[in-house]
């Protein structure tokens, strides 16, 4: 017989297919070759930087690169970011585990600070950012390491988190300076930002 009771089963939890199918890929961070970083001598592709070069950081100062980790990988999935989505001047590609710094409504109430580090994987579907298949080609991924963790300007206005020497191989990002959002919390905060933007647009239309 078919059961008629709507209470016969509990509601299923949502499953993140990207995390379930590509768990290792979700952890990968670093800047993909071609990402342009603001160095002391101008904007340069990240792969051209060397240990000892200085780059501009979020607080406005130049910081010397203490180490550079380079790895050639064939990532299964990456994120394509259209120009302007993260204040970037042109399209760029992100590794899923790379943390980006964003100012988001609700971040201060939830995490104690208005600027939050968000894993790139959480950005899928936000402002046109989308998953894309990258396994057909190899790319160089570069991680810049500093004396202290830094936020580095890249592609004009995007802020990439870079580790300090003591945390460069850490499995999970823990920061003494910045609020860090996990995948689900980041998506919730991004949803609040979207709701605020929609509300502001509605208010503008009503006023008009």
């Amino acid at each position: 017989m078919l059961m008629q009771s709507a209470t016969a089963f509990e509601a299923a939890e949502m499953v993140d297919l990207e995390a379930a199918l590509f768990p290792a890929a979700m952890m990968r961070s670093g800047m993909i070759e071609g990402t342009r970083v603001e160095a002391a001598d101008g904007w340069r592709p990240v792969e051209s930087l060397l240990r000892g070069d200085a780059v501009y950081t979020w607080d406005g100062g130049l910081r010397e690169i203490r180490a550079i980790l380079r790895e050639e990988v064939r990532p299964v999935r990456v994120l394509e970011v259209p120009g302007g989505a993260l204040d970037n001047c042109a399209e760029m590609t992100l590794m899923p585990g790379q943390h980006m710094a964003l100012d988001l409504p609700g971040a201060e109430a939830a995490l104690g600070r208005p600027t939050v580090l968000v894993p790139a994987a959480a950005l899928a579907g936000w402002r046109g950012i989308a998953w894309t298949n990258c396994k057909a080609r190899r790319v160089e991924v570069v991680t810049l390491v500093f004396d202290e963790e830094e936020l580095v300007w890249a592609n004009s206005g995007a802020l990439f988190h870079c580790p300090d020497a003591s945390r460069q191989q850490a499995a999970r990002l823990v920061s003494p300076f910045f609020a860090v959002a996990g995948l689900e919390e980041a998506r919730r905060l991004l949803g609040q930002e979207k709701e605020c933007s929609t509300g502001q647009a509605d208010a503008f239309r009503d006023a008009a």
Side-chain angles (χ1 to χ4, degrees), residues 100-113:
M100 308 298 292
L102 300 173
D103 288 331
L104 294 174
E108 188 160 18
L111 301 172
R113 298 177 187 179

Side-chain angles (χ1 to χ4, degrees), residues 6 12 15-17 26 29 33 46 56 63 65 91 104 117 119-120 127 133 159 187 194 197:
V15 175
D16 189 311
L17 289 180
M26 298 288 282
S29 62
E33 60 182 297
V46 66
Y56 282 98
R63 296 292 182 268
I65 300 170
E91 292 181 0
L104 294 174
L117 300 181
R127 295 186 178 179
N133 192 321
L159 278 170
R187 287 174 174 162
K194 184 176 181 180
S197 298

